[in-house]
Amino acid sequence: MKKVYKWLGLEKHEDFVNEYFAVANFRASLYMSIVIIVLEGWMILSLAIRWLSGDRTRTTDWYVSHVTWYGIMIVSAVMVLYFSLGYLKKRLTGPFMRFIGQSVLAAFALVSLSFGMNVSISDYSRGEQILCFVMMVIYVIGLLNWRPVIAITTATAAYLVFYHRMGQFPMHPISYATKVNLFTLWVSNVMLSLSVYQQRLSEAEKENELEKASVRDDLTGIPNFPTFRTKAARLLQENGVDDRIFLFLDIANFKSYNEKYGFEMGNECIRDIARLISQVFEEDLYARFSDDHFVVLTRRSRLDGKLRQLQLNGSGDQDVNQISLKVGAYEPRHQDVDPSIACDHARYACSMIKKHYDHDYCEYDREMDAGFRRRQYIVTHIEEAVEKGYIRVFYQPVVTAKDRTLCGLEALARWVDPIYGFLSPADFIPALEEYRLIGKLDKAVIEIVCRDLQESITDNRRVVPVSVNISRLDFELLNVPALFRSCLENFEIQPHFLHAEITESALVLSEGVLKKATDQLKELGSQLWLDDFGSGYSSLNVLKDYDFDVMKIDMSFLKNFEGNEKSRTILKSITAMASLIGMRTVCEGVETAEAADFLTQIGCERLQGYYFGKPMPLSEIWEKGEHFA
């Protein structure tokens, strides 16, 4: 039964398919209406010339009848031309205008059939051909795309009426050959309508699938951001910004969830959140922005209720109750706002509460605007900053625990800008990481460090190893071992002078990718430092699976150090364990003499922190000499 329904065109079509048929019909009618206007205009002119020249081979009634029909055809064609041009140029849009336009096409089709029938009957009564009727049936049934049930009904009715009217002329009885020809024409028209419809339907469905694939997010199935951006811009243009607000939704704690349960469970979590958003904001525009981020354009008047539904349902069962949604919001000021910029504003507002566990919603305001503009400046000017030397490297000393002499340096990026002045790393590093531009900064830092090392060697200064921070994104954006090798070769630096500090957070990268990169760095001759040990979930597995030379103990163990015996016990255990597995230890964040003395007593080999010196230009390091006690 479904096949019969589909064969007859009785099944319900998606709006895209209906639109596809409408556009095809309007395009065909556009050309046909122009042809008819020109042709019928020429016919009226021809009849006028014949009448004015005194040709009376036809009766006055014949002239009046034909001119009237030609005039009706021209008026109908002009209306079709107007609607076809308006719809194809998108001046007339929407389901209602499509319905009006299709009604005009249906009326034009009936006028065309009536015209063809009357002209051909007039010709048949004088023993002439019936080509005008045949031509109009082919146009109405063949060129226009009707559902088969409509096309078959229309063709059948037209041929029956025409056949009946042909029988009203006893002077020209219908011959057997004419009957066969009429039946053959009817069958041909029916088959043509079925063929054209099925071909158009197949094309429309293929286009619909391609359209869905291009507008849907692969992982979640909800709309992707390019689709959201296009629809949001159109909605604001057509309806204005009154009562509209953009939302940026971030899954809080998702990184930890992903580390604990794996990427497959992480993807399932993203799909669950996408389903929740599609249910809560069913009547609004929504999309997956990227990774674990989503965007929504909704009404402010409904916002409170929607947010309650989100937080109520987002605290789901199983272990997803570790997950919550952080929401940033931006209220557009004018209808020409770029949805991408609006979402960036909402995203920035969301970033303001990312680490505030007691806040789930934040709205973009004027105070945030200055910070947002600074961040955009950073993102768009990082290349200029590198080229023009606005990126500087400051060095923080690392000293031996026993005699407090300089044994190494950590390279830290600073940005001295001609407009904003001294930019804090807290300003530019998160922004560059967010936009995946951190590789440009870190590459510049490595090159500056190698240049400084080369100058120190040339000036016959004492040279100590320098460690540079390598983030997770660096391993994705750069070929880190190749970068180390080229810089060392270009500046003629021995590999043991350049160390790589890799944070625990970087180790969530695909194990094969990171293991290969770290092995290549070791083969090159550079030391590997495990930075921020104890700040993540994977510490012990990292010690087992990777061959690090130095363990850098996270500064969090020294917070409230004086009155916390547990911190002392843990530090002592970590230092002893590192010694047993052949790793040297550095403790960062040393700010007091008491902490430095304790770390020395328990066997920590190297110390770093404000007690020995803040990050400073290399020239100040040399001015201080070797002792930093």
Side-chain angles (χ1 to χ4, degrees), residues 141-182:
I141 304 301
L143 289 181
L144 298 180
N145 299 280
W146 308 103
R147 291 178 184 258
V149 65
I150 297 175
I152 293 171
T153 302
T154 303
T156 302
Y159 273 98
L160 288 176
V161 171
F162 188 69
Y163 178 78
H164 172 73
R165 293 187 64 182
M166 289 175 68
Q168 294 178 343
F169 298 95
M171 296 290 295
H172 301 284
I174 306 174
S175 65
Y176 178 77
T178 299
K179 293 178 181 179
V180 171
N181 288 337
L182 283 176

Side-chain angles (χ1 to χ4, degrees), residues 80 292 419 601:
V80 169
D292 57 320
I419 296 176
Q601 292 171 10

Side-chain angles (χ1 to χ4, degrees), residues 212-231:
K212 286 181 178 179
S214 67
V215 303
R216 297 285 172 180
D217 173 63
D218 291 337
L219 177 63
T220 63
I222 67 173
N224 57 28
F225 184 67
T227 303
F228 173 88
R229 184 175 55 216
T230 301
K231 290 186 175 181

Side-chain angles (χ1 to χ4, degrees), residues 265-322:
M265 283 293 292
N267 286 342
E268 187 59 37
C269 175
I270 290 175
R271 284 190 284 265
D272 288 340
I273 296 297
R275 280 191 288 269
L276 172 61
I277 290 172
S278 65
Q279 292 167 6
V280 174
F281 296 100
E282 182 179 6
E283 301 173 0
D284 303 302
L285 294 181
Y286 55 86
R288 185 184 179 204
F289 183 81
S290 65
D291 301 325
D292 57 320
H293 307 136
F294 301 85
V295 289
V296 174
L297 176 56
T298 186
R299 292 189 177 276
R300 173 178 279 283
S301 56
R302 299 199 298 249
L303 184 58
D304 290 343
K306 299 286 187 182
L307 293 179
R308 281 195 295 271
Q309 290 183 58
L310 272 184
Q311 300 304 345
L312 181 64
N313 295 310
S315 59
D317 51 9
Q318 55 180 346
D319 290 304
V320 184
N321 54 17
Q322 301 175 29

Side-chain angles (χ1 to χ4, degrees), residues 26 82-83 86-87 91-104:
F26 283 124
Y82 170 77
F83 270 93
Y87 202 86
R91 290 197 300 265
L92 305 173
T93 58
F96 178 72
M97 294 309 302
R98 184 169 65 204
F99 172 76
I100 296 297
Q102 288 176 328
S103 299
V104 171

